[in-house]
Amino acid sequence: DGGITQSPKYLFRKEGQNVTLSCEQNLNHDAMYWYRQDPGQGLRLIYYSQIVNDFQKGDIAEGYSVSREKKESFPLTVTSAQKNPTAFYLCASSIPRGISNQPQHFGDGTRLSIL
Amino acid sequence: GNSVTQMEGPVTLSEEAFLTINCTYTATGYPSLFWYVQYPGEGLQLLLKATKADDKGSNKGFEATYRKETTSFHLEKGSVQVSDSAVYFCALTLYNTDKLIFGTGTRLQVFP
């Protein structure tokens, strides 16, 4: 079955460390996204990529970085510059809207906590 | 700007009760509208969608109608089950963009 795999499910970071969250999809989708979810809030867009080797900042990109070297992979690095990284991180993918009106598909998320 | 407003939760119901979760939106152009559901500890799953005015999305007994005149997309279900307990997100995308704009989510708790 096709889907989106996020790993690890739980991640702990020490102060001053960078950590990388993995997101892999086998849906053959061109577009991929990273969201942050905080308690009682909706999802906020961190970064998105519509095609390999290209990505754009979302609404809350500061303190995060991404790469898109392969179509199926879109890893997110939470850097030490992100002062409040504790959150639930969700990765999604979709067929770009210009091709068809398809919704985004989500992974099961990674919960990041600060030690 | 473009935004989605949902009713605050939690919504607490007994099994077999009727459910309505309100959602209104502000958008330029002609958005597509979605309801996503998030079960505890999981990601989001698409529940239903509507892409133009008067469209009705439906799935698993849930329905929502795209009302352009009231800029609304309220979620309804005639008889909820305990297994429907989850957080429900209303969202929109604008024409020719891929970015989803989410509401803050509404937690539904259904008791036997």
Side-chain angles (χ1 to χ4, degrees), chain B residues 23-25 65-74:
Chain B
C23 171
T24 57
Y25 67 89
T65 302
Y66 189 139
R67 301 286 188 199
K68 187 178 177 184
E69 62 277 13
T70 55
T71 62
S72 65
F73 193 54
H74 305 321

Side-chain angles (χ1 to χ4, degrees), chain A residues 33 37 50 97 101 104 107, chain B residues 38 49 51 93-94 97-98:
Chain A
Y33 313 80
Q37 185 179 18
Q50 294 181 304
R97 188 178 171 87
N101 189 13
Q104 292 181 18
Chain B
Q38 184 179 35
K49 69 174 184 178
T51 58
T93 57
L94 300 172
T97 77
D98 298 310

Side-chain angles (χ1 to χ4, degrees), chain A:
Chain A
D1 285 341
I4 300 177
T5 302
Q6 290 188 242
S7 61
K9 192 171 180 65
Y10 299 95
L11 187 58
F12 299 93
R13 192 190 92 169
K14 293 182 180 178
E15 295 281 352
Q17 271 186 341
N18 293 351
V19 290
T20 298
L21 284 60
S22 170
C23 177
E24 303 278 332
Q25 55 99 359
N26 60 4
L27 298 167
N28 200 33
H29 286 169
D30 285 311
M32 297 187 74
Y33 313 80
W34 274 105
Y35 293 91
R36 170 180 172 137
Q37 185 179 18
D38 294 284
Q41 298 189 35
L43 279 68
R44 292 182 290 169
L45 183 64
I46 304 172
Y47 268 99
Y48 65 105
S49 167
Q50 294 181 304
I51 197 167
V52 174
N53 292 323
D54 186 47
F55 49 83
Q56 289 80 42
K57 293 181 179 180
D59 301 318
I60 56 165
E62 185 175 351
Y64 300 97
S65 66
V66 294
S67 62
R68 186 83 188 278
E69 297 175 2
K70 298 186 296 183
K71 185 175 183 177
E72 57 270 20
S73 178
F74 191 41
L76 173 74
T77 296
V78 184
T79 75
S80 57
Q82 172 49 244
K83 297 306 178 188
N84 185 23
T86 297
F88 190 50
Y89 291 87
L90 286 161
C91 179
S93 71
S94 71
I95 299 170
R97 188 178 171 87
I99 297 175
S100 63
N101 189 13
Q102 294 295 315
Q104 292 181 18
H105 297 256
F106 285 80
D108 283 341
T110 293
R111 188 167 298 281
L112 174 63
S113 301
I114 299 302
L115 292 177

